[in-house]
Amino acid sequence: MKSLLFAASMLLASSVQALAQEFESATSAVKNMRVGWNLGNTLDANSGSTTNMWIEKYTQRKTSDYEKAWGQPVTTEALIKMFKDAGFNAIRVPVTWYPHMGVVNNELNWDIDSWTPTKVDEKWMARVKEIVDYVINNGMYCIINVHHDTGAATTAWIRANTANYNKYKDTFEDLWTQVATEFKDYDEHLLFEGYNEMLDSYGSWCFASFAAPGNYNADSAADSYKAVNLYAQSFVDAVRATGGNNSYRNLIINSYCASNGSGNWNEHLLEPLKNLAYPEDEAQNHIAFQVHYYPSIKDLSWAKTECAMMLSDIKKYLQNRAPVIFGEWGTSNNLVKGDDDKYLDDYYTSYKQNKINFAKFFVEECKKADIATFYWMMLSDCEDRASLTWTMPDLKDAIIKGYYGNDGYTTSIEGVSETSSSKILKPQKLIHKDKVIIANGDDKYTIAGTKLK
């Protein structure tokens, strides 16, 4: 009996791996994403403070109340199509889940330590699915994640320390089990990202324990990197266990705080890259790494130099193990002062030409390196989204020209590979008599690893 069970398990594992090999690899997916955009401040919006749960207190808590809470309109498929028509081929949809998992109603204060998480609210899950469908229906790649459940806010219940992991391991895995089950039949155009910017208990950016007394604590840092890897493994295990296309779906793992390791001002900056483990995964070649990038571009020459060094380090420490995406990047952190010596909240005009030049350069360099890029939010922002208007048309054009060349994007590019004039042969999943069939694109077919003629 034991030998039969062992043989059956080996057959199942080999069948899963055969299907995984036919399903688009993470390397191929990252390349085919081209350039992407973040639908930010939308499904990720939340109260953000355990002592000021204003959305819960002062709204009816409809899905639209959250979606509009940070100044954005309710998302429409027309907005997604606008990005598709412009040449973007992927949308990252940040999602914050905790407000929809049993957080107390009508209270300004939330005692997170007494929180008893529940299943995700059905209406919220349905709205997430609706927006995912907007993206998928337009032939684009879509990434959904666990967003402001991490971060620096007091409402962030996921932290990069092992005590936190031990406390919330079951909640985290159950959340991903629910999400993965909801989307298990979606094809390779949907990717899952385990967590966004996970910080330690000090709220350290750049590298673990940077905000600790003395600006570094080796034991605390080691514990943080261990926790990130534990959360990553739990994410992979939970998703894979739901079966279906999730057995070989491409999954994204972020470094500590999504740090990219750039800069030379501290000896610990590369630790988030060096300490990021590749999770154990039966489905080979279906993991990608993610980092974020918000450079200072006041000095354009130095920004380009630093970018080149960063890409070299990413190649050395990450791309030798898995493909990489910049899941967020932007050039909106440089402001100018007005006549009253106060900073102007004008993300577009501050060093505008530097922004445009750097955006084109950065996308060009990432394309050469086979790295996909997802700009953070502001290309179309607030009411411009409702009116289908570009908030930053020049910056959008720079990004598109950075990827497609100075002639920009045309629909004739669709279906043509980036390296040749031949069509991209992408696997397509079919169902026949309850069996999964993979059409390889070359008139050959596979059922559970067996070739059909």
Side-chain angles (χ1 to χ4, degrees):
M1 177 62 72
K2 290 182 178 180
S3 61
L4 287 175
L5 289 174
F6 177 75
S9 64
M10 291 301 291
L11 178 61
L12 176 61
S14 63
S15 297
V16 168
Q17 187 55 46
L19 285 171
Q21 291 171 351
E22 300 292 354
F23 204 77
E24 184 180 41
S25 70
T27 300
S28 177
V30 168
K31 186 170 185 178
N32 288 333
M33 288 175 185
R34 306 176 192 168
V35 284
W37 177 70
N38 278 271
L39 183 67
N41 286 13
T42 303
L43 296 186
D44 51 324
N46 66 106
S47 292
S49 171
T50 56
T51 59
N52 186 23
M53 301 291 284
W54 61 275
I55 302 176
E56 287 70 26
K57 176 67 174 178
Y58 298 117
T59 77
Q60 298 179 42
R61 301 191 68 179
K62 297 179 294 185
T63 59
S64 60
D65 290 329
Y66 285 95
E67 194 170 346
K68 297 188 296 181
W70 287 2
Q72 303 298 333
V74 170
T75 301
T76 64
E77 186 168 355
L79 174 69
I80 304 303
K81 186 178 185 300
M82 182 178 84
F83 276 86
K84 175 65 175 180
D85 291 344
F88 292 84
N89 206 41
I91 302 290
R92 181 172 177 256
V93 181
V95 185
T96 300
W97 298 91
Y98 78 84
H100 316 285
M101 296 169 57
V103 171
V104 65
N105 284 300
N106 302 321
E107 295 291 339
L108 273 179
N109 295 304
W110 176 35
D111 182 4
I112 191 171
D113 291 328
S114 64
W115 177 42
T116 303
T118 64
K119 297 295 183 184
V120 175
D121 177 75
E122 291 181 0
K123 292 181 180 178
W124 183 252
M125 184 71 82
R127 180 56 179 156
V128 173
K129 189 172 183 179
E130 187 173 30
I131 291 182
V132 169
D133 287 344
Y134 293 165
V135 180
I136 300 297
N137 291 344
N138 278 276
M140 306 169 80
Y141 287 86
C142 183
I143 297 172
I144 57 174
N145 74 350
V146 171
H147 201 74
H148 287 304
D149 303 87
T150 68
T154 54
T155 48
W157 55 278
I158 299 171
R159 292 281 182 172
N161 65 68
T162 55
N164 174 276
Y165 171 77
N166 292 332
K167 180 177 181 178
Y168 288 112
K169 173 180 181 292
D170 291 345
T171 300
F172 180 76
E173 292 177 352
D174 184 59
L175 171 57
W176 269 114
T177 297
Q178 293 177 67
V179 175
T181 300
E182 187 72 25
F183 293 97
K184 67 188 297 183
D185 295 326
Y186 281 60
D187 72 6
E188 61 206 19
H189 285 86
L190 178 62
L191 296 86
F192 298 151
E193 172 194 327
Y195 45 85
N196 181 44
E197 296 169 339
M198 196 188 309
L199 305 182
D200 61 16
S201 56
Y202 300 107
S204 302
W205 294 98
C206 301
F207 55 86
S209 83
F210 180 41
N215 298 122
Y216 191 72
N217 181 299
D219 291 338
S220 176
D223 183 74
S224 293
Y225 297 129
K226 180 180 179 180
V228 169
N229 293 330
L230 287 170
Y231 268 116
Q233 189 64 61
S234 281
F235 162 59
V236 172
D237 292 345
V239 171
R240 295 289 183 240
T242 61
N245 284 349
N246 292 331
S247 297
Y248 34 84
R249 185 173 307 286
N250 292 318
L251 305 179
I252 300 170
I253 302 298
N254 295 7
S255 62
Y256 172 86
C257 80
S259 175
N260 56 59
S262 66
N264 56 10
W265 52 270
N266 192 290
E267 62 181 315
H268 302 294
L269 287 169
L270 288 172
E271 286 185 1
L273 307 188
K274 293 179 178 180
N275 286 282
L276 182 61
Y278 189 102
E280 294 182 9
D281 189 14
E282 290 184 357
Q284 298 178 15
N285 304 318
H286 290 281
I287 298 290
F289 292 138
Q290 179 180 143
V291 294
H292 296 169
Y293 188 39
Y294 292 95
S296 170
I297 45 81
K298 184 176 181 179
D299 183 337
L300 182 60
S301 177
W302 171 246
K304 290 182 176 181
T305 299
E306 185 181 64
C307 177
M309 292 189 294
M310 174 190 65
L311 291 176
S312 178
D313 287 332
I314 286 173
K315 180 178 181 180
K316 179 178 180 180
Y317 296 111
L318 296 184
Q319 282 186 291
N320 62 328
R321 298 180 289 148
V324 172
I325 69 172
F326 282 98
E328 294 180 17
W329 75 280
T331 55
S332 61
N333 58 337
N334 296 107
L335 307 181
V336 294
K337 289 184 178 181
D339 294 336
D340 57 359
D341 204 39
K342 293 182 179 179
Y343 282 103
L344 299 173
D345 188 17
D346 186 345
Y347 296 113
Y348 197 25
T349 59
S350 306
Y351 306 104
K352 180 177 181 179
Q353 195 57 50
N354 280 8
K355 286 177 166 48
I356 292 170
N357 292 344
F358 183 83
K360 187 172 185 289
F361 164 82
F362 178 63
V363 173
E364 286 173 339
E365 294 304 303
C366 286
K367 181 182 180 182
K368 293 175 187 176
D370 292 324
I371 298 175
T373 59
F374 290 73
Y375 197 83
W376 179 253
M377 275 191 48
M378 310 231 182
L379 300 178
S380 183
D381 197 30
C382 297
E383 288 308 311
D384 283 344
R385 294 187 188 179
S387 62
L388 304 181
T389 302
W390 296 105
T391 307
M392 298 180 169
D394 293 344
L395 196 60
K396 177 265 297 182
D397 290 343
I399 291 169
I400 294 303
K401 289 178 180 179
Y403 190 86
Y404 296 102
N406 289 332
D407 291 337
Y409 170 79
T410 63
T411 55
S412 63
I413 293 171
E414 292 301 315
V416 179
S417 76
E418 308 302 338
T419 56
S420 73
S421 60
S422 62
K423 290 184 177 180
I424 299 172
L425 301 179
K426 294 179 61 179
Q428 299 295 321
K429 183 177 72 101
L430 309 172
I431 302 294
H432 178 65
K433 295 183 179 179
D434 298 324
K435 294 182 181 293
V436 177
I437 305 176
I438 304 295
N440 299 321
D442 55 1
D443 296 326
K444 296 179 181 179
Y445 298 85
T446 301
I447 297 182
T450 302
K451 292 287 184 183
L452 300 180
K453 298 181 179 178

PDB file of all heavy atoms in Angstrom, residues 8 41 47 71 73-74 108 120 126 137 155 186 194 203 232 235 283 310 319 346 371 389 405 407 411 427 440 448:
ATOM      1  N   ALA A   8       1.728   6.915  -6.577  1.00  0.00           N
ATOM      2  CA  ALA A   8       0.673   7.853  -6.949  1.00  0.00           C
ATOM      3  C   ALA A   8       1.109   9.285  -6.708  1.00  0.00           C
ATOM      4  O   ALA A   8       0.844  10.185  -7.516  1.00  0.00           O
ATOM      5  CB  ALA A   8      -0.598   7.545  -6.163  1.00  0.00           C
ATOM      6  N   ASN A  41      -4.147  53.798  -4.712  1.00  0.00           N
ATOM      7  CA  ASN A  41      -5.072  54.596  -3.895  1.00  0.00           C
ATOM      8  C   ASN A  41      -6.530  54.276  -4.211  1.00  0.00           C
ATOM      9  O   ASN A  41      -7.400  55.152  -4.167  1.00  0.00           O
ATOM     10  CB  ASN A  41      -4.814  56.094  -4.084  1.00  0.00           C
ATOM     11  CG  ASN A  41      -3.549  56.549  -3.384  1.00  0.00           C
ATOM     12  OD1 ASN A  41      -2.743  55.728  -2.954  1.00  0.00           O
ATOM     13  ND2 ASN A  41      -3.362  57.841  -3.276  1.00  0.00           N
ATOM     14  N   SER A  47      -8.287  53.171   6.389  1.00  0.00           N
ATOM     15  CA  SER A  47      -8.202  54.234   7.399  1.00  0.00           C
ATOM     16  C   SER A  47      -6.774  54.500   7.837  1.00  0.00           C
ATOM     17  O   SER A  47      -6.387  55.637   8.104  1.00  0.00           O
ATOM     18  CB  SER A  47      -9.068  53.884   8.609  1.00  0.00           C
ATOM     19  OG  SER A  47     -10.441  53.925   8.268  1.00  0.00           O
ATOM     20  N   GLY A  71      -9.510  59.748  -2.667  1.00  0.00           N
ATOM     21  CA  GLY A  71      -9.607  60.758  -3.706  1.00  0.00           C
ATOM     22  C   GLY A  71      -9.742  60.257  -5.127  1.00  0.00           C
ATOM     23  O   GLY A  71      -9.749  61.063  -6.068  1.00  0.00           O
ATOM     24  N   PRO A  73     -11.891  58.139  -8.206  1.00  0.00           N
ATOM     25  CA  PRO A  73     -13.260  57.747  -8.543  1.00  0.00           C
ATOM     26  C   PRO A  73     -13.389  56.235  -8.594  1.00  0.00           C
ATOM     27  O   PRO A  73     -12.378  55.510  -8.547  1.00  0.00           O
ATOM     28  CB  PRO A  73     -13.445  58.346  -9.943  1.00  0.00           C
ATOM     29  CG  PRO A  73     -12.075  58.287 -10.536  1.00  0.00           C
ATOM     30  CD  PRO A  73     -11.125  58.580  -9.389  1.00  0.00           C
ATOM     31  N   VAL A  74     -14.604  55.766  -8.669  1.00  0.00           N
ATOM     32  CA  VAL A  74     -14.825  54.328  -8.863  1.00  0.00           C
ATOM     33  C   VAL A  74     -14.228  53.932 -10.208  1.00  0.00           C
ATOM     34  O   VAL A  74     -14.438  54.583 -11.237  1.00  0.00           O
ATOM     35  CB  VAL A  74     -16.333  54.003  -8.808  1.00  0.00           C
ATOM     36  CG1 VAL A  74     -16.593  52.568  -9.246  1.00  0.00           C
ATOM     37  CG2 VAL A  74     -16.864  54.241  -7.396  1.00  0.00           C
ATOM     38  N   LEU A 108     -14.034  54.537  16.074  1.00  0.00           N
ATOM     39  CA  LEU A 108     -12.818  55.225  15.666  1.00  0.00           C
ATOM     40  C   LEU A 108     -11.563  54.476  16.091  1.00  0.00           C
ATOM     41  O   LEU A 108     -10.526  54.577  15.450  1.00  0.00           O
ATOM     42  CB  LEU A 108     -12.781  56.642  16.256  1.00  0.00           C
ATOM     43  CG  LEU A 108     -13.457  57.745  15.442  1.00  0.00           C
ATOM     44  CD1 LEU A 108     -13.354  59.069  16.171  1.00  0.00           C
ATOM     45  CD2 LEU A 108     -12.827  57.861  14.051  1.00  0.00           C
ATOM     46  N   VAL A 120     -13.069  36.991   4.165  1.00  0.00           N
ATOM     47  CA  VAL A 120     -13.177  38.240   3.423  1.00  0.00           C
ATOM     48  C   VAL A 120     -14.634  38.489   3.049  1.00  0.00           C
ATOM     49  O   VAL A 120     -15.347  37.583   2.614  1.00  0.00           O
ATOM     50  CB  VAL A 120     -12.310  38.197   2.148  1.00  0.00           C
ATOM     51  CG1 VAL A 120     -12.516  39.458   1.304  1.00  0.00           C
ATOM     52  CG2 VAL A 120     -10.839  38.022   2.512  1.00  0.00           C
ATOM     53  N   ALA A 126     -15.940  40.309  -4.503  1.00  0.00           N
ATOM     54  CA  ALA A 126     -16.583  40.440  -5.816  1.00  0.00           C
ATOM     55  C   ALA A 126     -16.093  41.685  -6.547  1.00  0.00           C
ATOM     56  O   ALA A 126     -15.902  41.671  -7.772  1.00  0.00           O
ATOM     57  CB  ALA A 126     -18.094  40.477  -5.654  1.00  0.00           C
ATOM     58  N   ASN A 137      -9.923  41.136 -19.364  1.00  0.00           N
ATOM     59  CA  ASN A 137     -10.752  41.250 -20.572  1.00  0.00           C
ATOM     60  C   ASN A 137     -10.119  42.123 -21.641  1.00  0.00           C
ATOM     61  O   ASN A 137     -10.503  42.053 -22.818  1.00  0.00           O
ATOM     62  CB  ASN A 137     -12.141  41.802 -20.214  1.00  0.00           C
ATOM     63  CG  ASN A 137     -12.969  40.814 -19.413  1.00  0.00           C
ATOM     64  OD1 ASN A 137     -12.660  39.624 -19.364  1.00  0.00           O
ATOM     65  ND2 ASN A 137     -14.013  41.307 -18.767  1.00  0.00           N
ATOM     66  N   THR A 155      -2.145  50.104  11.454  1.00  0.00           N
ATOM     67  CA  THR A 155      -3.086  49.066  11.035  1.00  0.00           C
ATOM     68  C   THR A 155      -2.408  47.919  10.300  1.00  0.00           C
ATOM     69  O   THR A 155      -3.066  46.924   9.968  1.00  0.00           O
ATOM     70  CB  THR A 155      -4.154  49.672  10.110  1.00  0.00           C
ATOM     71  OG1 THR A 155      -3.503  50.465   9.112  1.00  0.00           O
ATOM     72  CG2 THR A 155      -5.121  50.550  10.894  1.00  0.00           C
ATOM     73  N   TYR A 186      -8.416  31.243 -13.342  1.00  0.00           N
ATOM     74  CA  TYR A 186      -7.881  32.278 -14.228  1.00  0.00           C
ATOM     75  C   TYR A 186      -6.569  31.813 -14.850  1.00  0.00           C
ATOM     76  O   TYR A 186      -5.800  31.069 -14.235  1.00  0.00           O
ATOM     77  CB  TYR A 186      -7.666  33.580 -13.459  1.00  0.00           C
ATOM     78  CG  TYR A 186      -8.934  34.381 -13.245  1.00  0.00           C
ATOM     79  CD1 TYR A 186     -10.020  33.861 -12.539  1.00  0.00           C
ATOM     80  CD2 TYR A 186      -9.058  35.665 -13.754  1.00  0.00           C
ATOM     81  CE1 TYR A 186     -11.180  34.576 -12.346  1.00  0.00           C
ATOM     82  CE2 TYR A 186     -10.222  36.414 -13.566  1.00  0.00           C
ATOM     83  CZ  TYR A 186     -11.280  35.855 -12.865  1.00  0.00           C
ATOM     84  OH  TYR A 186     -12.439  36.580 -12.677  1.00  0.00           O
ATOM     85  N   GLY A 194       2.621  38.206  -2.944  1.00  0.00           N
ATOM     86  CA  GLY A 194       2.339  37.785  -1.575  1.00  0.00           C
ATOM     87  C   GLY A 194       2.112  38.895  -0.578  1.00  0.00           C
ATOM     88  O   GLY A 194       1.244  38.809   0.293  1.00  0.00           O
ATOM     89  N   GLY A 203       9.634  49.871  11.986  1.00  0.00           N
ATOM     90  CA  GLY A 203       9.206  50.620  10.812  1.00  0.00           C
ATOM     91  C   GLY A 203      10.372  51.049   9.945  1.00  0.00           C
ATOM     92  O   GLY A 203      10.350  52.126   9.340  1.00  0.00           O
ATOM     93  N   ALA A 232       6.901  34.459   2.770  1.00  0.00           N
ATOM     94  CA  ALA A 232       6.944  34.115   1.352  1.00  0.00           C
ATOM     95  C   ALA A 232       6.646  32.637   1.144  1.00  0.00           C
ATOM     96  O   ALA A 232       5.885  32.266   0.234  1.00  0.00           O
ATOM     97  CB  ALA A 232       8.311  34.470   0.775  1.00  0.00           C
ATOM     98  N   PHE A 235       2.977  31.930   1.703  1.00  0.00           N
ATOM     99  CA  PHE A 235       2.229  32.415   0.543  1.00  0.00           C
ATOM    100  C   PHE A 235       2.251  31.383  -0.579  1.00  0.00           C
ATOM    101  O   PHE A 235       1.201  30.992  -1.117  1.00  0.00           O
ATOM    102  CB  PHE A 235       2.836  33.740   0.090  1.00  0.00           C
ATOM    103  CG  PHE A 235       2.501  34.168  -1.303  1.00  0.00           C
ATOM    104  CD1 PHE A 235       1.179  34.363  -1.705  1.00  0.00           C
ATOM    105  CD2 PHE A 235       3.515  34.404  -2.225  1.00  0.00           C
ATOM    106  CE1 PHE A 235       0.872  34.781  -2.994  1.00  0.00           C
ATOM    107  CE2 PHE A 235       3.221  34.820  -3.517  1.00  0.00           C
ATOM    108  CZ  PHE A 235       1.897  35.002  -3.905  1.00  0.00           C
ATOM    109  N   ALA A 283       6.424  23.784  -8.563  1.00  0.00           N
ATOM    110  CA  ALA A 283       6.291  24.326  -9.909  1.00  0.00           C
ATOM    111  C   ALA A 283       7.532  25.162 -10.219  1.00  0.00           C
ATOM    112  O   ALA A 283       7.666  26.288  -9.769  1.00  0.00           O
ATOM    113  CB  ALA A 283       5.028  25.179 -10.015  1.00  0.00           C
ATOM    114  N   MET A 310      22.449  50.003  -9.521  1.00  0.00           N
ATOM    115  CA  MET A 310      21.358  49.233  -8.942  1.00  0.00           C
ATOM    116  C   MET A 310      20.996  48.041  -9.826  1.00  0.00           C
ATOM    117  O   MET A 310      20.845  46.910  -9.342  1.00  0.00           O
ATOM    118  CB  MET A 310      20.124  50.111  -8.737  1.00  0.00           C
ATOM    119  CG  MET A 310      18.894  49.356  -8.271  1.00  0.00           C
ATOM    120  SD  MET A 310      17.402  50.363  -8.329  1.00  0.00           S
ATOM    121  CE  MET A 310      17.243  50.647 -10.102  1.00  0.00           C
ATOM    122  N   GLN A 319      18.443  38.334 -10.241  1.00  0.00           N
ATOM    123  CA  GLN A 319      18.136  37.784 -11.559  1.00  0.00           C
ATOM    124  C   GLN A 319      18.881  36.499 -11.877  1.00  0.00           C
ATOM    125  O   GLN A 319      18.500  35.797 -12.815  1.00  0.00           O
ATOM    126  CB  GLN A 319      18.414  38.825 -12.648  1.00  0.00           C
ATOM    127  CG  GLN A 319      17.330  39.886 -12.766  1.00  0.00           C
ATOM    128  CD  GLN A 319      17.561  40.803 -13.945  1.00  0.00           C
ATOM    129  OE1 GLN A 319      18.495  41.593 -13.945  1.00  0.00           O
ATOM    130  NE2 GLN A 319      16.698  40.697 -14.939  1.00  0.00           N
ATOM    131  N   ASP A 346       3.296  69.790  -6.176  1.00  0.00           N
ATOM    132  CA  ASP A 346       3.170  69.728  -7.625  1.00  0.00           C
ATOM    133  C   ASP A 346       4.128  68.660  -8.149  1.00  0.00           C
ATOM    134  O   ASP A 346       5.297  68.906  -8.393  1.00  0.00           O
ATOM    135  CB  ASP A 346       3.513  71.090  -8.236  1.00  0.00           C
ATOM    136  CG  ASP A 346       3.265  71.128  -9.742  1.00  0.00           C
ATOM    137  OD1 ASP A 346       3.109  70.051 -10.333  1.00  0.00           O
ATOM    138  OD2 ASP A 346       3.234  72.224 -10.305  1.00  0.00           O
ATOM    139  N   ILE A 371      13.434  43.381 -17.399  1.00  0.00           N
ATOM    140  CA  ILE A 371      12.720  43.707 -16.172  1.00  0.00           C
ATOM    141  C   ILE A 371      11.475  44.505 -16.535  1.00  0.00           C
ATOM    142  O   ILE A 371      11.565  45.498 -17.253  1.00  0.00           O
ATOM    143  CB  ILE A 371      13.604  44.520 -15.206  1.00  0.00           C
ATOM    144  CG1 ILE A 371      14.833  43.711 -14.779  1.00  0.00           C
ATOM    145  CG2 ILE A 371      12.805  44.961 -13.982  1.00  0.00           C
ATOM    146  CD1 ILE A 371      15.812  44.490 -13.921  1.00  0.00           C
ATOM    147  N   THR A 389      -8.590  60.993 -18.853  1.00  0.00           N
ATOM    148  CA  THR A 389      -7.616  62.010 -19.233  1.00  0.00           C
ATOM    149  C   THR A 389      -6.262  61.659 -18.620  1.00  0.00           C
ATOM    150  O   THR A 389      -6.195  61.136 -17.507  1.00  0.00           O
ATOM    151  CB  THR A 389      -8.065  63.395 -18.724  1.00  0.00           C
ATOM    152  OG1 THR A 389      -9.358  63.693 -19.256  1.00  0.00           O
ATOM    153  CG2 THR A 389      -7.083  64.479 -19.134  1.00  0.00           C
ATOM    154  N   GLY A 405      10.256  52.600 -28.435  1.00  0.00           N
ATOM    155  CA  GLY A 405      11.042  53.421 -29.338  1.00  0.00           C
ATOM    156  C   GLY A 405      10.370  54.753 -29.587  1.00  0.00           C
ATOM    157  O   GLY A 405       9.228  54.992 -29.181  1.00  0.00           O
ATOM    158  N   ASP A 407       8.986  56.070 -32.031  1.00  0.00           N
ATOM    159  CA  ASP A 407       7.731  56.082 -32.786  1.00  0.00           C
ATOM    160  C   ASP A 407       6.534  55.742 -31.901  1.00  0.00           C
ATOM    161  O   ASP A 407       5.390  55.863 -32.341  1.00  0.00           O
ATOM    162  CB  ASP A 407       7.804  55.109 -33.962  1.00  0.00           C
ATOM    163  CG  ASP A 407       8.760  55.582 -35.041  1.00  0.00           C
ATOM    164  OD1 ASP A 407       9.010  56.799 -35.102  1.00  0.00           O
ATOM    165  OD2 ASP A 407       9.270  54.741 -35.805  1.00  0.00           O
ATOM    166  N   THR A 411      -0.950  49.472 -32.505  1.00  0.00           N
ATOM    167  CA  THR A 411      -1.604  48.170 -32.285  1.00  0.00           C
ATOM    168  C   THR A 411      -0.996  47.090 -33.149  1.00  0.00           C
ATOM    169  O   THR A 411      -1.190  45.898 -32.870  1.00  0.00           O
ATOM    170  CB  THR A 411      -3.106  48.277 -32.586  1.00  0.00           C
ATOM    171  OG1 THR A 411      -3.294  48.794 -33.918  1.00  0.00           O
ATOM    172  CG2 THR A 411      -3.790  49.196 -31.596  1.00  0.00           C
ATOM    173  N   PRO A 427       0.962  29.376 -24.557  1.00  0.00           N
ATOM    174  CA  PRO A 427       0.098  28.244 -24.240  1.00  0.00           C
ATOM    175  C   PRO A 427      -1.314  28.701 -23.918  1.00  0.00           C
ATOM    176  O   PRO A 427      -1.507  29.722 -23.280  1.00  0.00           O
ATOM    177  CB  PRO A 427       0.760  27.633 -22.988  1.00  0.00           C
ATOM    178  CG  PRO A 427       2.139  28.201 -22.951  1.00  0.00           C
ATOM    179  CD  PRO A 427       2.070  29.528 -23.623  1.00  0.00           C
ATOM    180  N   ASN A 440      -0.009  24.227 -27.197  1.00  0.00           N
ATOM    181  CA  ASN A 440       1.296  24.851 -27.089  1.00  0.00           C
ATOM    182  C   ASN A 440       1.510  25.979 -28.089  1.00  0.00           C
ATOM    183  O   ASN A 440       2.495  26.689 -28.020  1.00  0.00           O
ATOM    184  CB  ASN A 440       2.403  23.824 -27.270  1.00  0.00           C
ATOM    185  CG  ASN A 440       2.340  22.743 -26.218  1.00  0.00           C
ATOM    186  OD1 ASN A 440       2.049  23.044 -25.070  1.00  0.00           O
ATOM    187  ND2 ASN A 440       2.573  21.499 -26.584  1.00  0.00           N
ATOM    188  N   ALA A 448      -1.785  16.350 -19.143  1.00  0.00           N
ATOM    189  CA  ALA A 448      -1.037  15.876 -17.980  1.00  0.00           C
ATOM    190  C   ALA A 448       0.340  15.367 -18.376  1.00  0.00           C
ATOM    191  O   ALA A 448       0.796  14.334 -17.914  1.00  0.00           O
ATOM    192  CB  ALA A 448      -1.811  14.803 -17.225  1.00  0.00           C
TER     193      ALA A 448
END
